Amino acid sequence: MGDLSSGGGDRKVPKLPIPGKRNILITSALPYVNNVPHLGNIIGCVLSADVYARYCRLRGYNTIYMCGTDEYGTATETKALEENCTPQQICDKYHAIHKEVYDWFNISFDEFGRTSTPQQTEVCQAIFMKLLENNWLSENTMQQLYCDTCQRFLADRLVEGVCPTQGCNYDSARGDQCEKCGKLLNPTELQDPKCKVCRNTPRIRDTNHLFLELPLLKDKLEEYINHVSVAGSWSQNAIQSTNAWLKEGLRPRCITRDLKWGVPVPHDNFKDKVFYVWFDAPIGYVSITSCYTSEWEKWWKNPENVELYQFMGKDNVPFHTVMFPSTLLGTGENWTMLKTISVTEYLNYEAGKFSKSKGIGVFGNDAKDTNIPVEVWRYYLLTNRPEVSDTLFTWADLQAKLNSELLNNLGNFINRVLSFIAKDPALEDGKGVGYCSVIPEAPGAESHPLTKTFGETVGDYVQQYLEAMEKVKLKLGLKIAMAISGEGNGYLQESKFWKLYKEDYHSCSVVMKTAAGLVYLLACLLEPFMPSFSLEVLKQLNLPPETQVLLSDEKGDIERARRPWEFLPAGHKIGTPEPLFKELTDEEVELFRQKFAGSQADRILKAEAEAKELVEKLQKTEVSDGRVKKQRPTKSAAEAKPKASAEAEISICRLDIRVGLITKAQKHPDADSLYVEEIDVGEGQPRTVVSGLVKYIPLEDMQNRKVCVLCNLKPATMRGIKSQAMVLAATSSDHSKVELVEPPQSAHVGERVTFPGFEGSPDDVLNPKKKVWETVQLDLHTDKELVACYKDVPFSTSAGVCKVSSICGGTIR
């Protein structure tokens, strides 16, 4: 399916730019190796870039995606001190963790490298030497704290002292910021500063550093920005952040640090220094590409034939739109410069912010441990991508999007189509319909009015999808693809294919071949977002995993989207249909909310406390005669008495609503407005049901169709015939239309209709005096998607949600 390899796949022959083709070079901000990446990091750079890279491959563009861990700098040295190991060991540890997380998320890097390599040193020093030759560097003196005991200048994070802010006086303020009052600091401002390593008092000492003269490069830089920000359709937040730096006025930027862990500065006067991480980190994109191919310059020094797309969070923007371009411009070489930058705001967690340093939020390894499938995580993060403003991760929202959008829209459509095709009409439980898993012939599909209109609608949506994705509007692209799935559900409903099969077999074959083609098209459109989902759909279509799923202009794939019946050939045998998504329950959501509350450190303490409590309980256990007896506290007589059970809360779970099949329907002999139906609700013998539907639904439409049946109402005699249940139907607001609430055709007769989040056994018989049905009925309605709902929760079956044909906002009774 395009290029499905992730960072963990076998080494492939490196791709090089191809003359005459569109060559796309994609990078995402290099994640820093001081912690496990959290969901905000993942959506902010690597996942967003992966979606675009997969989309480009889907379109047939010659594309590579470069990324890796950013490993040099102060934070790595500090982390190494905390964990009592070397910086290299820290980098090795966290590079492996990052790689494992991204492999699980199906991130399709062409190369996932690191900056602590000989290639990084070589490329970084070569760029530095060019800047030196071209006189874009200057020397200057700074004052820094120096520890005589450790014999080193102290980085900001290696100094602690009393905050100088009036009224604060926090005695563990860091050299760069006070965590108590939040004020940004310089280490030399701290009162009573201490070295974090040896706890001795450092002294202020002069130190020489090298600076990149950004003011001298200003004209070249502004000319580049003014042109490419328009040509590359930069996101508004990227433009604003860049202009803020320019408006402030560019100042010389220090590019060296008094550290040991970093790329050495190749200059006689600065041999004891390394490059500042924000000078060398963006150069990592180049060095990682040089690890991918020795012919890296064909990508990075080829602006006429290569387009560079970069993905990152908003805090990284100036380093990619000002610092890195200035560095490349200063070399005077013909570099491939940034064309398009895609920037995200922040993804926040429940009531606060994700934080790597504080361990707050859901981290990459946490996502894996929840057993929620990776395609669900990818989908949720991408629908919630903070493109223009901060967005919020909540467990309830994840549950809602999984249950309503993935399960009830997308999964329901695909399962409905494939299950119907898979049925064997010769088998009794097939109810006399199906195609024995074979895609049917469908000649003349283009002249079938409903199908032709549907094809045009799908084609228009695909064009909108392409326009959104070309502009890197990933969230919009995903929304459009899901809308196509919704159109598919509407097409099935309008066609009434379950009736067509017996009344107009040819038209039914057209509908099912078209719908199966749409299943394949959805696998294509959603592959960039949920590659594992697309692989599963291909499996159920019985197409090999290596199937080239493309949306290529050259091969006519885009135009074919208007004729979805052409995607799969007649006679093709599909695989075994299976549900694609599993419901996430309220109980699971609450469990996750509690499990991931607080910080990682809090969670560890909580787990240790629970383990300690368990040990104490076990120690109180008496062992006698090889049997275990637990000490039980004695109860008072009052406590020992059984309590009267409280009346169960009135909610939908007290209703016994089942999938029923009308096996026979006729008019009531003594009432012109009533039907009498025989309905199979899975009990061996059908129930007799009387319904007042004569003036709304023709008798022929009442035959052999699945309905939702309320089975635990007290039986009532209507005009001499005892009605043993009630068929549920929706009524329009003006009472002019009534339509049956219909389960999916593949729903099992007799299965209970469920309502996610409302669990419990139904009453044997609803007590009329308690008004349970009357109370619940007030919250039954159809939504704008024609889905039958209790409050906002859909009527759900194992095969999908229950719907009506055309009444939205109707009441159900």
Side-chain angles (χ1 to χ4, degrees):
M1 184 176 296
D3 182 351
L4 290 174
S5 64
S6 72
D10 294 334
R11 169 71 66 174
K12 294 184 176 182
V13 176
K15 289 175 273 188
L16 295 175
I18 301 171
K21 285 203 76 168
R22 194 168 173 199
N23 300 294
I24 308 286
L25 170 58
I26 296 172
T27 73
S28 58
L30 306 182
Y32 205 78
V33 287
N34 64 337
N35 208 327
V36 181
H38 59 61
L39 297 184
N41 306 137
I42 290 166
I43 186 58
C45 50
V46 295
L47 178 55
S48 295
D50 178 64
V51 172
Y52 191 67
R54 287 178 178 275
Y55 165 75
C56 288
R57 298 179 192 124
L58 191 70
R59 296 282 281 136
Y61 305 152
N62 186 41
T63 304
I64 62 170
Y65 175 17
M66 297 288 115
C67 192
T69 41
D70 180 8
E71 302 190 352
Y72 285 139
T74 308
T76 304
E77 284 198 355
T78 307
K79 191 72 173 176
L81 286 171
E82 286 175 11
E83 298 197 11
N84 195 29
C85 61
T86 66
Q88 184 65 61
Q89 288 171 324
I90 283 289
C91 293
D92 292 344
K93 171 184 172 180
Y94 283 103
H95 175 81
I97 290 172
H98 276 256
K99 189 172 184 304
E100 183 180 354
V101 167
Y102 303 140
D103 282 348
W104 187 79
F105 269 93
N106 284 329
I107 308 298
S108 61
F109 304 116
D110 289 271
E111 182 78 20
F112 184 71
R114 50 201 305 188
T115 57
S116 60
T117 62
Q119 290 90 337
Q120 172 74 0
T121 299
E122 182 182 342
V123 176
C124 194
Q125 290 182 343
I127 288 174
F128 167 77
M129 294 305 295
K130 282 289 182 183
L131 292 171
L132 195 62
E133 286 173 26
N134 296 338
N135 296 314
W136 297 118
L137 301 177
S138 62
E139 296 184 27
N140 212 333
T141 301
M142 297 171 61
Q143 287 191 324
Q144 276 184 250
L145 292 175
Y146 184 85
C147 178
D148 288 305
T149 306
C150 297
Q151 293 190 323
R152 62 188 293 180
F153 284 97
L154 299 180
D156 301 349
R157 298 185 186 206
L158 292 180
V159 185
E160 280 185 350
V162 177
C163 177
T165 307
Q166 190 171 1
C168 178
N169 299 320
Y170 181 54
D171 62 2
S172 296
R174 281 190 338 200
D176 56 350
Q177 187 176 19
C178 174
E179 287 193 346
K180 182 181 177 183
C181 70
K183 184 176 174 59
L184 297 176
L185 302 170
N186 288 317
T188 52
E189 296 177 307
L190 291 173
Q191 298 170 7
D192 191 24
K194 299 291 183 187
C195 169
K196 277 189 71 173
V197 179
C198 67
R199 305 310 301 173
N200 286 326
T201 302
R203 60 187 174 91
I204 294 176
R205 188 174 137 181
D206 288 346
T207 176
N208 291 333
H209 281 286
L210 285 164
F211 291 75
L212 178 63
E213 286 292 341
L214 291 178
L216 300 180
L217 289 159
K218 182 173 180 289
D219 292 342
K220 285 176 179 286
L221 179 67
E222 286 189 336
E223 180 186 353
Y224 157 74
I225 290 172
N226 291 337
H227 167 70
V228 80
S229 61
V230 176
S233 301
W234 285 14
S235 53
Q236 199 56 41
N237 45 10
I239 293 172
Q240 289 170 351
S241 182
T242 303
N243 288 341
W245 262 48
L246 295 175
K247 189 175 180 181
E248 244 180 55
L250 296 178
R251 297 187 293 271
R253 188 82 181 184
C254 185
I255 63 167
T256 53
R257 286 292 186 270
D258 289 296
L259 297 171
K260 301 295 183 188
W261 183 244
V263 174
V265 179
H267 190 294
D268 288 343
N269 296 339
F270 298 92
K271 285 183 176 179
D272 57 342
K273 302 184 192 297
V274 299
F275 287 116
Y276 173 43
V277 68
W278 267 119
F279 174 76
D280 91 276
I283 294 171
Y285 303 130
V286 183
S287 74
I288 289 168
T289 310
S290 76
C291 295
Y292 171 71
T293 172
S294 59
E295 298 180 87
W296 61 270
E297 290 187 349
K298 290 184 177 180
W299 285 105
W300 279 101
K301 293 186 179 179
N302 189 2
E304 296 80 14
N305 295 307
V306 175
E307 301 169 56
L308 173 59
Y309 284 73
Q310 298 195 292
F311 291 77
M312 67 204 65
K314 63 182 177 182
D315 50 342
N316 289 343
V317 170
F319 300 103
H320 289 80
T321 61
V322 177
M323 279 286 291
F324 188 42
S326 296
T327 299
L328 298 181
L329 289 168
T331 65
E333 296 178 314
N334 193 33
W335 287 96
T336 300
M337 304 282 284
L338 165 68
K339 175 190 173 184
T340 296
I341 183 171
S342 180
V343 177
T344 57
E345 303 290 311
Y346 293 134
L347 176 70
N348 294 322
Y349 179 70
E350 292 281 348
K353 287 187 175 182
F354 279 95
S355 171
K356 278 201 299 186
S357 59
K358 296 177 182 177
I360 294 173
V362 180
F363 289 71
N365 49 351
D366 295 332
K368 182 179 179 182
D369 292 342
T370 62
N371 290 323
I372 296 172
V374 64
E375 59 265 26
V376 174
W377 282 110
R378 285 180 61 117
Y379 177 81
Y380 178 70
L381 291 173
L382 289 159
T383 58
N384 214 18
R385 186 174 186 250
E387 292 182 349
V388 294
S389 61
D390 292 357
T391 58
L392 186 65
F393 171 97
T394 70
W395 287 103
D397 190 36
L398 173 66
Q399 177 193 29
K401 284 186 166 59
L402 166 54
N403 292 351
S404 64
E405 296 172 18
L406 291 178
L407 178 63
N408 295 334
N409 171 2
L410 181 64
N412 175 53
F413 169 72
I414 293 172
N415 192 257
R416 198 175 180 191
V417 172
L418 300 186
S419 294
F420 190 84
I421 292 173
K423 284 183 179 178
D424 184 347
L427 297 177
E428 185 179 344
D429 63 357
K431 305 301 178 187
V433 295
Y435 295 90
C436 290
S437 298
V438 175
I439 302 294
E441 297 277 357
E446 62 279 352
S447 60
H448 185 259
L450 179 63
T451 298
K452 181 171 172 50
T453 302
F454 175 65
E456 291 299 321
T457 300
V458 170
D460 290 343
Y461 269 120
V462 170
Q463 284 296 339
Q464 293 171 31
Y465 168 90
L466 296 175
E467 289 168 13
M469 296 298 286
E470 289 293 336
K471 293 177 181 176
V472 202
K473 294 182 177 179
L474 307 183
K475 188 192 289 189
L476 178 58
L478 179 53
K479 184 178 180 182
I480 292 167
M482 292 298 288
I484 293 174
S485 172
E487 290 290 336
N489 276 312
Y491 171 66
L492 291 182
Q493 207 63 27
E494 191 172 352
S495 72
K496 291 186 169 61
F497 64 93
W498 58 94
K499 288 175 61 181
L500 278 182
Y501 187 88
K502 297 198 178 213
E503 297 173 5
D504 185 349
Y505 182 82
H506 172 72
S507 290
C508 186
S509 297
V510 168
V511 169
M512 297 318 295
K513 191 170 191 287
T514 301
L518 191 71
V519 169
Y520 172 80
L521 178 62
L522 286 169
C524 298
L525 298 174
L526 291 168
E527 193 276 338
F529 303 96
M530 298 184 290
S532 54
F533 155 83
S534 295
L535 280 173
E536 178 58 28
V537 173
L538 286 184
K539 176 185 170 186
Q540 294 190 24
L541 286 171
N542 194 26
L543 296 171
E546 61 272 16
T547 296
Q548 283 288 306
V549 173
L550 293 172
L551 283 177
S552 166
D553 293 311
E554 298 171 7
K555 297 185 178 180
D557 298 322
I558 308 305
E559 189 54 36
R560 196 179 299 122
R562 297 188 181 277
R563 303 185 302 279
W565 54 86
E566 292 184 0
F567 277 116
L568 297 174
H572 174 75
K573 191 176 180 69
I574 67 168
T576 304
E578 293 177 4
L580 290 158
F581 301 101
K582 179 178 174 288
E583 178 192 17
L584 188 61
T585 66
D586 284 355
E587 289 79 9
E588 290 171 313
V589 165
E590 188 54 36
L591 183 69
F592 291 138
R593 188 181 285 115
Q594 291 177 11
K595 181 177 180 180
F596 297 109
S599 69
Q600 287 178 313
D602 292 337
R603 294 171 209 162
I604 292 169
L605 290 174
K606 183 181 176 184
E608 289 174 349
E610 289 173 350
K612 183 179 178 183
E613 185 181 347
L614 180 61
V615 169
E616 289 173 352
K617 282 183 179 178
L618 290 172
Q619 287 173 344
K620 291 178 182 177
T621 301
E622 290 184 348
V623 181
S624 173
D625 298 329
R627 292 173 295 175
V628 178
K629 296 180 181 179
K630 291 187 178 178
Q631 292 180 333
R632 300 174 185 267
T634 58
K635 290 184 178 181
S636 67
E639 289 175 318
K641 288 180 181 178
K643 296 179 180 178
S645 60
E647 175 67 28
E649 178 190 357
I650 293 180
S651 77
I652 193 71
C653 63
R654 293 181 63 179
L655 272 54
D656 183 9
I657 301 174
R658 299 186 213 167
V659 174
L661 177 69
I662 300 175
T663 57
K664 180 182 177 182
Q666 59 188 9
K667 285 191 175 179
H668 194 296
D670 297 320
D672 292 339
S673 63
L674 300 178
Y675 285 133
V676 179
E677 305 108 25
E678 299 293 319
I679 304 181
D680 180 359
V681 290
E683 295 174 332
Q685 293 295 320
R687 292 197 186 196
T688 300
V689 180
V690 180
S691 306
L693 298 170
V694 169
K695 72 175 184 175
Y696 300 106
I697 301 174
L699 182 59
E700 59 268 24
D701 288 351
M702 292 292 292
Q703 309 295 334
N704 195 36
R705 69 185 295 178
K706 286 184 179 173
V707 288
C708 289
V709 185
L710 178 58
C711 293
N712 61 340
L713 279 177
K714 187 175 181 180
T717 301
M718 302 175 70
R719 293 291 185 95
I721 296 178
K722 183 177 283 189
S723 182
Q724 299 170 313
M726 183 169 71
V727 174
L728 297 183
T731 305
S732 61
S733 56
D734 61 1
H735 301 282
S736 63
K737 291 171 69 177
V738 174
E739 294 174 349
L740 294 172
V741 176
E742 296 186 85
Q745 280 303 297
S746 53
H748 301 298
V749 171
E751 73 169 289
R752 190 180 175 199
V753 176
T754 59
F755 299 83
F758 293 90
E759 313 299 333
S761 300
D763 294 4
D764 291 334
V765 178
L766 295 175
N767 186 338
K769 293 180 181 179
K770 300 294 183 181
K771 303 290 184 185
V772 176
W773 161 245
E774 291 79 0
T775 303
V776 170
Q777 190 274 322
L778 296 173
D779 289 315
L780 301 181
H781 64 96
T782 58
D783 67 12
K784 62 182 180 180
E785 303 293 335
L786 308 180
V787 176
C789 296
Y790 168 65
K791 298 183 177 179
D792 293 322
V793 180
F795 283 51
S796 303
T797 73
S798 60
V801 298
C802 305
K803 303 183 79 171
V804 295
S805 297
S806 64
I807 299 173
C808 61
T811 56
I812 295 174
R813 55 173 64 85

